[in-house]
Amino acid sequence: MKRALISVYDKTGIVAFAEKLDQLGWEIISTGGTKTLLEEAGIKVIAVEEVTNSPEILEGRVKTLHPHVHGGILFNRDIASHQATVDEMGIHAIDMVVNSLYPFEETVKNGVASKAEIIEKIDVGGPSMIRAAAKNYKDVLIVTATEDYERVADALENDQNTLELRESLAAKAFRLTAFYDAMIAEYFTAETNEQFPELFTKGYRYKELLRYGENPHQAAVYYESPLEEDFDLEQLHGKQISYNNYNDMRANMDLVQEFDEPVCVAVKHANPCGVAVGKTPAEAYQKAFEGDPISIFGGIIGFNRTVDAETADQLARIFLEIIVAPDFTEEAFAILSKKKNIRLVKSTKLGEFKGKKTTYKETVGGLLLQDKDLSIYGEDGIVLKSDRQVTDKELEDMDFAWKVAKHCASNAMVIAKDKQTLALGHGEVRRVWALEDALERSEFPLAGAVVASDGFFFPDTIDTLHEYGIKAIVQPGGSVQDEKVIEAAKAYDISVLFTGMRHFKH
């Protein structure tokens, strides 16, 4: 007679599945709460203790770790010596393992569990049984997900217990144990503050199939990282968020996070196209919009304050892909939700959460990991290097422009005034081209504006700035050309400030 060992933390659907196995003539072995539940449902159950001839010990930490369990799962039915061993030891074959693991991830994420409680939710016996059954999938069914109960029952009832089915279930089981171990490794790595461990393990869970990737001919899926603190995103309205939307939205939110004052950030193709600080979200949006009213069309708009009706009235006047904010008032939602295609995304942590401490991207043969660029200035802060003194207002504008430049693709130039971007140049292979692009495209008078550059200047950029009447620039410094730049700036009575920190973004 076939035997199934059932031991599940998540009891969803298990009674119906066990009843089906019982009807098909399977014997059922079980433990603890699962055994009690099945017996209460009138299903005959063999206790694990009857199989092992050994009681549970250590408050349930050891119950299935026994030769009569693992031997019954792992022995190869085609090897005569294996069969002889289990016969000699009186080990009965176990032909199916049904298991769900202790909720380690959920315990970590609930935010109130002690370290001792978290450690107690590290399953040992479960992964061992799962891996054993998955390794011996040619002879053993391994069922680890409630959504598979029906298809397994149907396969058994219709004599379709194929090798293909068992291999598929084994692959799913190995993904589960690998993911589970990755969650545990991620937790302990964070606890021990190991930033770049010798083995980098991360677990991601499928969330949704996207319409397509960067282009319509590319398939794409969104996976979430469960243990990473996130922005607590909730889509309130609109069609599905796309691959490019997710990418642009992250770029937007990273820049929004730089500001404490009410800010509006507009992003297009992962680059800012308008950024402004205002006394209210409505004022911030109007200034950001005026900075580039053409590029903002079809862009992604981010706020660090709740969107109110006044702001919503302005936002509703043009087509926008996404608006993301800590919240929307009822009036604002009513106004914006009339537009079918706009996505409204609530992020309760926007404006207070700085994101993960490391970032990574795929490269040739592997991944590149680095500290996230969270700092703004070097150890000495922002330092004046030329003769002309800057006003407090210029200093505020340079701080604003510097934060924006940090989030533009290199080479990047940001021209700003009154905490509003007047022109942006980014992604050029020559820094002076980025500057010329920004200057030539600006539709504002630039007298009194400041310029921020993500990298150091050369003397030719000073000449160009002088032609446009700009008197204050901020840059990292650190070039062999620094002295020449400073002397050129002195000759034009231009203020040059160094930040002591570069912010390339590639």
mmCIF file of all heavy atoms in Angstrom, residues 262-309:
data_model
loop_
_atom_site.group_PDB
_atom_site.id
_atom_site.type_symbol
_atom_site.label_atom_id
_atom_site.label_comp_id
_atom_site.label_asym_id
_atom_site.label_seq_id
_atom_site.Cartn_x
_atom_site.Cartn_y
_atom_site.Cartn_z
ATOM 1 N N PRO A 262 8.248 70.124 0.967
ATOM 2 C CA PRO A 262 7.365 69.612 -0.084
ATOM 3 C C PRO A 262 8.042 69.676 -1.449
ATOM 4 O O PRO A 262 8.515 70.740 -1.857
ATOM 5 C CB PRO A 262 6.160 70.561 -0.013
ATOM 6 C CG PRO A 262 6.162 71.080 1.385
ATOM 7 C CD PRO A 262 7.602 71.188 1.778
ATOM 8 N N VAL A 263 8.117 68.550 -2.126
ATOM 9 C CA VAL A 263 8.823 68.480 -3.405
ATOM 10 C C VAL A 263 7.962 67.752 -4.424
ATOM 11 O O VAL A 263 7.138 66.899 -4.064
ATOM 12 C CB VAL A 263 10.189 67.767 -3.251
ATOM 13 C CG1 VAL A 263 10.013 66.272 -3.007
ATOM 14 C CG2 VAL A 263 11.080 68.002 -4.467
ATOM 15 N N CYS A 264 8.142 68.107 -5.679
ATOM 16 C CA CYS A 264 7.549 67.369 -6.785
ATOM 17 C C CYS A 264 8.674 66.978 -7.731
ATOM 18 O O CYS A 264 9.501 67.820 -8.108
ATOM 19 C CB CYS A 264 6.517 68.212 -7.515
ATOM 20 S SG CYS A 264 5.858 67.388 -8.997
ATOM 21 N N VAL A 265 8.702 65.716 -8.101
ATOM 22 C CA VAL A 265 9.715 65.196 -9.025
ATOM 23 C C VAL A 265 8.993 64.599 -10.229
ATOM 24 O O VAL A 265 8.094 63.765 -10.074
ATOM 25 C CB VAL A 265 10.586 64.115 -8.353
ATOM 26 C CG1 VAL A 265 11.508 63.456 -9.377
ATOM 27 C CG2 VAL A 265 11.392 64.711 -7.211
ATOM 28 N N ALA A 266 9.395 65.049 -11.404
ATOM 29 C CA ALA A 266 8.893 64.463 -12.651
ATOM 30 C C ALA A 266 10.029 63.709 -13.312
ATOM 31 O O ALA A 266 11.141 64.245 -13.443
ATOM 32 C CB ALA A 266 8.361 65.546 -13.582
ATOM 33 N N VAL A 267 9.773 62.458 -13.705
ATOM 34 C CA VAL A 267 10.789 61.606 -14.312
ATOM 35 C C VAL A 267 10.299 61.103 -15.660
ATOM 36 O O VAL A 267 9.132 60.731 -15.808
ATOM 37 C CB VAL A 267 11.142 60.420 -13.385
ATOM 38 C CG1 VAL A 267 11.862 59.318 -14.143
ATOM 39 C CG2 VAL A 267 11.999 60.897 -12.226
ATOM 40 N N LYS A 268 11.207 61.081 -16.619
ATOM 41 C CA LYS A 268 10.925 60.520 -17.945
ATOM 42 C C LYS A 268 12.146 59.705 -18.359
ATOM 43 O O LYS A 268 13.268 60.202 -18.324
ATOM 44 C CB LYS A 268 10.678 61.673 -18.924
ATOM 45 C CG LYS A 268 10.066 61.283 -20.256
ATOM 46 C CD LYS A 268 8.567 61.075 -20.118
ATOM 47 C CE LYS A 268 7.881 61.003 -21.477
ATOM 48 N NZ LYS A 268 7.780 62.320 -22.135
ATOM 49 N N HIS A 269 11.926 58.456 -18.744
ATOM 50 C CA HIS A 269 13.028 57.573 -19.164
ATOM 51 C C HIS A 269 14.129 57.504 -18.107
ATOM 52 O O HIS A 269 15.319 57.590 -18.413
ATOM 53 C CB HIS A 269 13.594 58.012 -20.504
ATOM 54 C CG HIS A 269 12.571 58.050 -21.600
ATOM 55 N ND1 HIS A 269 11.743 56.983 -21.896
ATOM 56 C CD2 HIS A 269 12.209 59.042 -22.450
ATOM 57 C CE1 HIS A 269 10.938 57.315 -22.892
ATOM 58 N NE2 HIS A 269 11.190 58.554 -23.242
ATOM 59 N N ALA A 270 13.719 57.372 -16.847
ATOM 60 C CA ALA A 270 14.601 57.190 -15.688
ATOM 61 C C ALA A 270 15.446 58.414 -15.355
ATOM 62 O O ALA A 270 16.323 58.336 -14.511
ATOM 63 C CB ALA A 270 15.502 55.964 -15.865
ATOM 64 N N ASN A 271 15.178 59.549 -15.977
ATOM 65 C CA ASN A 271 15.882 60.785 -15.674
ATOM 66 C C ASN A 271 14.909 61.863 -15.243
ATOM 67 O O ASN A 271 13.794 61.958 -15.797
ATOM 68 C CB ASN A 271 16.656 61.285 -16.900
ATOM 69 C CG ASN A 271 18.100 60.819 -16.896
ATOM 70 O OD1 ASN A 271 18.811 60.989 -15.907
ATOM 71 N ND2 ASN A 271 18.531 60.234 -17.993
ATOM 72 N N PRO A 272 15.297 62.719 -14.298
ATOM 73 C CA PRO A 272 14.432 63.836 -13.941
ATOM 74 C C PRO A 272 14.225 64.753 -15.144
ATOM 75 O O PRO A 272 15.158 65.014 -15.905
ATOM 76 C CB PRO A 272 15.218 64.559 -12.839
ATOM 77 C CG PRO A 272 16.192 63.556 -12.323
ATOM 78 C CD PRO A 272 16.530 62.682 -13.486
ATOM 79 N N CYS A 273 12.995 65.233 -15.299
ATOM 80 C CA CYS A 273 12.739 66.237 -16.335
ATOM 81 C C CYS A 273 12.162 67.516 -15.731
ATOM 82 O O CYS A 273 11.987 68.505 -16.436
ATOM 83 C CB CYS A 273 11.822 65.688 -17.423
ATOM 84 S SG CYS A 273 10.171 65.202 -16.884
ATOM 85 N N GLY A 274 11.873 67.490 -14.449
ATOM 86 C CA GLY A 274 11.430 68.669 -13.736
ATOM 87 C C GLY A 274 11.361 68.378 -12.254
ATOM 88 O O GLY A 274 10.776 67.373 -11.853
ATOM 89 N N VAL A 275 12.003 69.233 -11.455
ATOM 90 C CA VAL A 275 12.020 69.048 -10.003
ATOM 91 C C VAL A 275 11.864 70.412 -9.360
ATOM 92 O O VAL A 275 12.467 71.397 -9.811
ATOM 93 C CB VAL A 275 13.338 68.407 -9.516
ATOM 94 C CG1 VAL A 275 13.279 68.142 -8.007
ATOM 95 C CG2 VAL A 275 13.653 67.131 -10.279
ATOM 96 N N ALA A 276 11.053 70.484 -8.312
ATOM 97 C CA ALA A 276 10.879 71.760 -7.626
ATOM 98 C C ALA A 276 10.405 71.545 -6.204
ATOM 99 O O ALA A 276 9.682 70.594 -5.907
ATOM 100 C CB ALA A 276 9.896 72.645 -8.375
ATOM 101 N N VAL A 277 10.808 72.468 -5.359
ATOM 102 C CA VAL A 277 10.343 72.541 -3.975
ATOM 103 C C VAL A 277 9.379 73.711 -3.871
ATOM 104 O O VAL A 277 9.578 74.763 -4.482
ATOM 105 C CB VAL A 277 11.536 72.731 -3.017
ATOM 106 C CG1 VAL A 277 11.073 73.197 -1.637
ATOM 107 C CG2 VAL A 277 12.334 71.447 -2.903
ATOM 108 N N GLY A 278 8.297 73.528 -3.134
ATOM 109 C CA GLY A 278 7.333 74.604 -2.924
ATOM 110 C C GLY A 278 6.793 74.579 -1.509
ATOM 111 O O GLY A 278 7.090 73.666 -0.730
ATOM 112 N N LYS A 279 5.977 75.549 -1.193
ATOM 113 C CA LYS A 279 5.363 75.585 0.125
ATOM 114 C C LYS A 279 4.266 74.528 0.257
ATOM 115 O O LYS A 279 3.960 74.077 1.357
ATOM 116 C CB LYS A 279 4.778 76.973 0.399
ATOM 117 C CG LYS A 279 5.835 78.070 0.493
ATOM 118 C CD LYS A 279 5.190 79.428 0.725
ATOM 119 C CE LYS A 279 6.252 80.532 0.784
ATOM 120 N NZ LYS A 279 5.651 81.880 0.947
ATOM 121 N N THR A 280 3.685 74.153 -0.880
ATOM 122 C CA THR A 280 2.632 73.136 -0.916
ATOM 123 C C THR A 280 2.914 72.195 -2.082
ATOM 124 O O THR A 280 3.674 72.537 -2.997
ATOM 125 C CB THR A 280 1.250 73.778 -1.128
ATOM 126 O OG1 THR A 280 1.235 74.385 -2.439
ATOM 127 C CG2 THR A 280 0.950 74.816 -0.061
ATOM 128 N N PRO A 281 2.295 71.008 -2.100
ATOM 129 C CA PRO A 281 2.462 70.127 -3.258
ATOM 130 C C PRO A 281 2.012 70.795 -4.556
ATOM 131 O O PRO A 281 2.639 70.595 -5.604
ATOM 132 C CB PRO A 281 1.582 68.922 -2.905
ATOM 133 C CG PRO A 281 1.509 68.913 -1.425
ATOM 134 C CD PRO A 281 1.531 70.356 -1.010
ATOM 135 N N ALA A 282 0.949 71.583 -4.503
ATOM 136 C CA ALA A 282 0.461 72.253 -5.708
ATOM 137 C C ALA A 282 1.493 73.230 -6.251
ATOM 138 O O ALA A 282 1.748 73.285 -7.466
ATOM 139 C CB ALA A 282 -0.851 72.980 -5.413
ATOM 140 N N GLU A 283 2.107 74.000 -5.373
ATOM 141 C CA GLU A 283 3.138 74.952 -5.819
ATOM 142 C C GLU A 283 4.355 74.200 -6.357
ATOM 143 O O GLU A 283 4.933 74.579 -7.382
ATOM 144 C CB GLU A 283 3.562 75.860 -4.671
ATOM 145 C CG GLU A 283 4.599 76.896 -5.088
ATOM 146 C CD GLU A 283 5.142 77.718 -3.920
ATOM 147 O OE1 GLU A 283 4.583 77.620 -2.801
ATOM 148 O OE2 GLU A 283 6.121 78.446 -4.139
ATOM 149 N N ALA A 284 4.742 73.132 -5.674
ATOM 150 C CA ALA A 284 5.896 72.343 -6.123
ATOM 151 C C ALA A 284 5.631 71.764 -7.513
ATOM 152 O O ALA A 284 6.504 71.794 -8.392
ATOM 153 C CB ALA A 284 6.200 71.232 -5.125
ATOM 154 N N TYR A 285 4.414 71.237 -7.721
ATOM 155 C CA TYR A 285 4.092 70.675 -9.038
ATOM 156 C C TYR A 285 4.108 71.751 -10.117
ATOM 157 O O TYR A 285 4.642 71.543 -11.214
ATOM 158 C CB TYR A 285 2.728 69.994 -9.022
ATOM 159 C CG TYR A 285 2.284 69.620 -10.427
ATOM 160 C CD1 TYR A 285 2.886 68.562 -11.110
ATOM 161 C CD2 TYR A 285 1.313 70.367 -11.088
ATOM 162 C CE1 TYR A 285 2.523 68.247 -12.406
ATOM 163 C CE2 TYR A 285 0.936 70.052 -12.389
ATOM 164 C CZ TYR A 285 1.546 68.999 -13.050
ATOM 165 O OH TYR A 285 1.200 68.700 -14.346
ATOM 166 N N GLN A 286 3.512 72.904 -9.835
ATOM 167 C CA GLN A 286 3.454 73.955 -10.841
ATOM 168 C C GLN A 286 4.861 74.383 -11.256
ATOM 169 O O GLN A 286 5.135 74.578 -12.454
ATOM 170 C CB GLN A 286 2.679 75.157 -10.294
ATOM 171 C CG GLN A 286 2.402 76.236 -11.339
ATOM 172 C CD GLN A 286 1.607 75.726 -12.524
ATOM 173 O OE1 GLN A 286 0.704 74.908 -12.367
ATOM 174 N NE2 GLN A 286 1.943 76.178 -13.727
ATOM 175 N N LYS A 287 5.764 74.495 -10.304
ATOM 176 C CA LYS A 287 7.141 74.873 -10.620
ATOM 177 C C LYS A 287 7.845 73.774 -11.406
ATOM 178 O O LYS A 287 8.595 74.046 -12.355
ATOM 179 C CB LYS A 287 7.903 75.179 -9.331
ATOM 180 C CG LYS A 287 7.470 76.470 -8.642
ATOM 181 C CD LYS A 287 8.074 76.602 -7.246
ATOM 182 C CE LYS A 287 9.586 76.798 -7.293
ATOM 183 N NZ LYS A 287 10.144 76.987 -5.927
ATOM 184 N N ALA A 288 7.630 72.517 -11.015
ATOM 185 C CA ALA A 288 8.246 71.406 -11.747
ATOM 186 C C ALA A 288 7.727 71.350 -13.179
ATOM 187 O O ALA A 288 8.479 71.115 -14.131
ATOM 188 C CB ALA A 288 7.981 70.086 -11.034
ATOM 189 N N PHE A 289 6.417 71.574 -13.337
ATOM 190 C CA PHE A 289 5.798 71.575 -14.656
ATOM 191 C C PHE A 289 6.384 72.689 -15.524
ATOM 192 O O PHE A 289 6.733 72.478 -16.693
ATOM 193 C CB PHE A 289 4.287 71.748 -14.510
ATOM 194 C CG PHE A 289 3.560 71.929 -15.810
ATOM 195 C CD1 PHE A 289 3.197 70.825 -16.566
ATOM 196 C CD2 PHE A 289 3.250 73.201 -16.286
ATOM 197 C CE1 PHE A 289 2.530 70.982 -17.786
ATOM 198 C CE2 PHE A 289 2.586 73.364 -17.491
ATOM 199 C CZ PHE A 289 2.231 72.253 -18.246
ATOM 200 N N GLU A 290 6.516 73.868 -14.976
ATOM 201 C CA GLU A 290 7.034 75.007 -15.733
ATOM 202 C C GLU A 290 8.482 74.794 -16.155
ATOM 203 O O GLU A 290 8.927 75.345 -17.170
ATOM 204 C CB GLU A 290 6.920 76.278 -14.895
ATOM 205 C CG GLU A 290 5.483 76.756 -14.690
ATOM 206 C CD GLU A 290 5.373 77.860 -13.658
ATOM 207 O OE1 GLU A 290 6.402 78.167 -13.009
ATOM 208 O OE2 GLU A 290 4.258 78.396 -13.484
ATOM 209 N N GLY A 291 9.210 73.974 -15.394
ATOM 210 C CA GLY A 291 10.610 73.716 -15.734
ATOM 211 C C GLY A 291 10.765 73.053 -17.092
ATOM 212 O O GLY A 291 11.759 73.290 -17.799
ATOM 213 N N ASP A 292 9.806 72.210 -17.481
ATOM 214 C CA ASP A 292 9.824 71.570 -18.809
ATOM 215 C C ASP A 292 8.423 71.033 -19.082
ATOM 216 O O ASP A 292 8.145 69.849 -18.880
ATOM 217 C CB ASP A 292 10.855 70.452 -18.872
ATOM 218 C CG ASP A 292 11.050 69.903 -20.276
ATOM 219 O OD1 ASP A 292 10.192 70.179 -21.144
ATOM 220 O OD2 ASP A 292 12.046 69.198 -20.509
ATOM 221 N N PRO A 293 7.513 71.898 -19.553
ATOM 222 C CA PRO A 293 6.115 71.482 -19.745
ATOM 223 C C PRO A 293 5.917 70.501 -20.893
ATOM 224 O O PRO A 293 4.831 69.920 -21.012
ATOM 225 C CB PRO A 293 5.393 72.801 -20.033
ATOM 226 C CG PRO A 293 6.448 73.720 -20.535
ATOM 227 C CD PRO A 293 7.710 73.326 -19.835
ATOM 228 N N ILE A 294 6.941 70.286 -21.712
ATOM 229 C CA ILE A 294 6.826 69.330 -22.814
ATOM 230 C C ILE A 294 7.230 67.932 -22.363
ATOM 231 O O ILE A 294 6.483 66.957 -22.520
ATOM 232 C CB ILE A 294 7.687 69.764 -24.020
ATOM 233 C CG1 ILE A 294 7.297 71.174 -24.473
ATOM 234 C CG2 ILE A 294 7.536 68.751 -25.158
ATOM 235 C CD1 ILE A 294 5.851 71.314 -24.888
ATOM 236 N N SER A 295 8.409 67.813 -21.762
ATOM 237 C CA SER A 295 8.924 66.495 -21.373
ATOM 238 C C SER A 295 8.081 65.837 -20.294
ATOM 239 O O SER A 295 8.024 64.608 -20.204
ATOM 240 C CB SER A 295 10.372 66.613 -20.889
ATOM 241 O OG SER A 295 11.215 67.062 -21.928
ATOM 242 N N ILE A 296 7.449 66.629 -19.461
ATOM 243 C CA ILE A 296 6.680 66.064 -18.352
ATOM 244 C C ILE A 296 5.479 65.262 -18.851
ATOM 245 O O ILE A 296 4.972 64.385 -18.139
ATOM 246 C CB ILE A 296 6.223 67.197 -17.404
ATOM 247 C CG1 ILE A 296 5.852 66.620 -16.020
ATOM 248 C CG2 ILE A 296 5.069 67.987 -17.994
ATOM 249 C CD1 ILE A 296 5.587 67.689 -14.977
ATOM 250 N N PHE A 297 5.031 65.525 -20.083
ATOM 251 C CA PHE A 297 3.885 64.812 -20.648
ATOM 252 C C PHE A 297 4.199 63.318 -20.714
ATOM 253 O O PHE A 297 5.206 62.898 -21.275
ATOM 254 C CB PHE A 297 3.584 65.339 -22.053
ATOM 255 C CG PHE A 297 2.357 64.735 -22.682
ATOM 256 C CD1 PHE A 297 1.105 65.280 -22.462
ATOM 257 C CD2 PHE A 297 2.454 63.606 -23.479
ATOM 258 C CE1 PHE A 297 -0.031 64.731 -23.042
ATOM 259 C CE2 PHE A 297 1.330 63.034 -24.056
ATOM 260 C CZ PHE A 297 0.084 63.602 -23.835
ATOM 261 N N GLY A 298 3.334 62.493 -20.127
ATOM 262 C CA GLY A 298 3.559 61.053 -20.098
ATOM 263 C C GLY A 298 4.604 60.618 -19.084
ATOM 264 O O GLY A 298 5.065 59.480 -19.114
ATOM 265 N N GLY A 299 4.951 61.527 -18.168
ATOM 266 C CA GLY A 299 5.976 61.215 -17.181
ATOM 267 C C GLY A 299 5.412 60.599 -15.915
ATOM 268 O O GLY A 299 4.212 60.319 -15.797
ATOM 269 N N ILE A 300 6.312 60.386 -14.968
ATOM 270 C CA ILE A 300 5.944 59.846 -13.655
ATOM 271 C C ILE A 300 6.198 60.932 -12.623
ATOM 272 O O ILE A 300 7.300 61.495 -12.550
ATOM 273 C CB ILE A 300 6.747 58.576 -13.351
ATOM 274 C CG1 ILE A 300 6.329 57.491 -14.341
ATOM 275 C CG2 ILE A 300 6.569 58.133 -11.909
ATOM 276 C CD1 ILE A 300 6.836 56.133 -14.072
ATOM 277 N N ILE A 301 5.185 61.238 -11.831
ATOM 278 C CA ILE A 301 5.230 62.347 -10.883
ATOM 279 C C ILE A 301 5.261 61.796 -9.468
ATOM 280 O O ILE A 301 4.448 60.938 -9.110
ATOM 281 C CB ILE A 301 4.008 63.267 -11.048
ATOM 282 C CG1 ILE A 301 3.806 63.665 -12.505
ATOM 283 C CG2 ILE A 301 4.139 64.497 -10.146
ATOM 284 C CD1 ILE A 301 4.959 64.417 -13.121
ATOM 285 N N GLY A 302 6.195 62.291 -8.661
ATOM 286 C CA GLY A 302 6.308 61.854 -7.278
ATOM 287 C C GLY A 302 6.247 63.012 -6.306
ATOM 288 O O GLY A 302 6.771 64.100 -6.595
ATOM 289 N N PHE A 303 5.612 62.784 -5.170
ATOM 290 C CA PHE A 303 5.505 63.782 -4.097
ATOM 291 C C PHE A 303 5.928 63.146 -2.775
ATOM 292 O O PHE A 303 5.812 61.927 -2.603
ATOM 293 C CB PHE A 303 4.063 64.271 -3.944
ATOM 294 C CG PHE A 303 3.505 65.007 -5.126
ATOM 295 C CD1 PHE A 303 2.791 64.325 -6.108
ATOM 296 C CD2 PHE A 303 3.668 66.372 -5.250
ATOM 297 C CE1 PHE A 303 2.255 64.995 -7.193
ATOM 298 C CE2 PHE A 303 3.134 67.057 -6.342
ATOM 299 C CZ PHE A 303 2.430 66.369 -7.315
ATOM 300 N N ASN A 304 6.343 63.989 -1.834
ATOM 301 C CA ASN A 304 6.569 63.518 -0.467
ATOM 302 C C ASN A 304 5.504 64.047 0.490
ATOM 303 O O ASN A 304 5.682 64.009 1.703
ATOM 304 C CB ASN A 304 7.970 63.894 0.018
ATOM 305 C CG ASN A 304 8.208 65.393 0.052
ATOM 306 O OD1 ASN A 304 7.356 66.178 -0.386
ATOM 307 N ND2 ASN A 304 9.364 65.811 0.543
ATOM 308 N N ARG A 305 4.419 64.538 -0.063
ATOM 309 C CA ARG A 305 3.279 64.989 0.716
ATOM 310 C C ARG A 305 2.001 64.420 0.092
ATOM 311 O O ARG A 305 1.965 64.057 -1.083
ATOM 312 C CB ARG A 305 3.174 66.528 0.733
ATOM 313 C CG ARG A 305 4.341 67.257 1.377
ATOM 314 C CD ARG A 305 4.390 67.042 2.884
ATOM 315 N NE ARG A 305 5.305 67.980 3.538
ATOM 316 C CZ ARG A 305 6.624 67.822 3.628
ATOM 317 N NH1 ARG A 305 7.190 66.748 3.083
ATOM 318 N NH2 ARG A 305 7.370 68.708 4.251
ATOM 319 N N THR A 306 0.933 64.386 0.891
ATOM 320 C CA THR A 306 -0.366 63.929 0.394
ATOM 321 C C THR A 306 -0.845 64.838 -0.736
ATOM 322 O O THR A 306 -0.759 66.066 -0.637
ATOM 323 C CB THR A 306 -1.394 63.921 1.534
ATOM 324 O OG1 THR A 306 -0.996 62.958 2.513
ATOM 325 C CG2 THR A 306 -2.784 63.573 1.029
ATOM 326 N N VAL A 307 -1.345 64.228 -1.800
ATOM 327 C CA VAL A 307 -1.902 64.988 -2.918
ATOM 328 C C VAL A 307 -3.311 65.442 -2.551
ATOM 329 O O VAL A 307 -4.171 64.616 -2.212
ATOM 330 C CB VAL A 307 -1.917 64.139 -4.202
ATOM 331 C CG1 VAL A 307 -2.656 64.867 -5.324
ATOM 332 C CG2 VAL A 307 -0.494 63.803 -4.635
ATOM 333 N N ASP A 308 -3.534 66.763 -2.619
ATOM 334 C CA ASP A 308 -4.846 67.312 -2.288
ATOM 335 C C ASP A 308 -5.583 67.703 -3.567
ATOM 336 O O ASP A 308 -5.085 67.531 -4.685
ATOM 337 C CB ASP A 308 -4.713 68.501 -1.339
ATOM 338 C CG ASP A 308 -3.802 69.600 -1.894
ATOM 339 O OD1 ASP A 308 -3.541 69.609 -3.120
ATOM 340 O OD2 ASP A 308 -3.354 70.452 -1.103
ATOM 341 N N ALA A 309 -6.793 68.238 -3.400
ATOM 342 C CA ALA A 309 -7.638 68.564 -4.549
ATOM 343 C C ALA A 309 -7.005 69.635 -5.428
ATOM 344 O O ALA A 309 -7.084 69.567 -6.666
ATOM 345 C CB ALA A 309 -9.014 69.022 -4.065
#
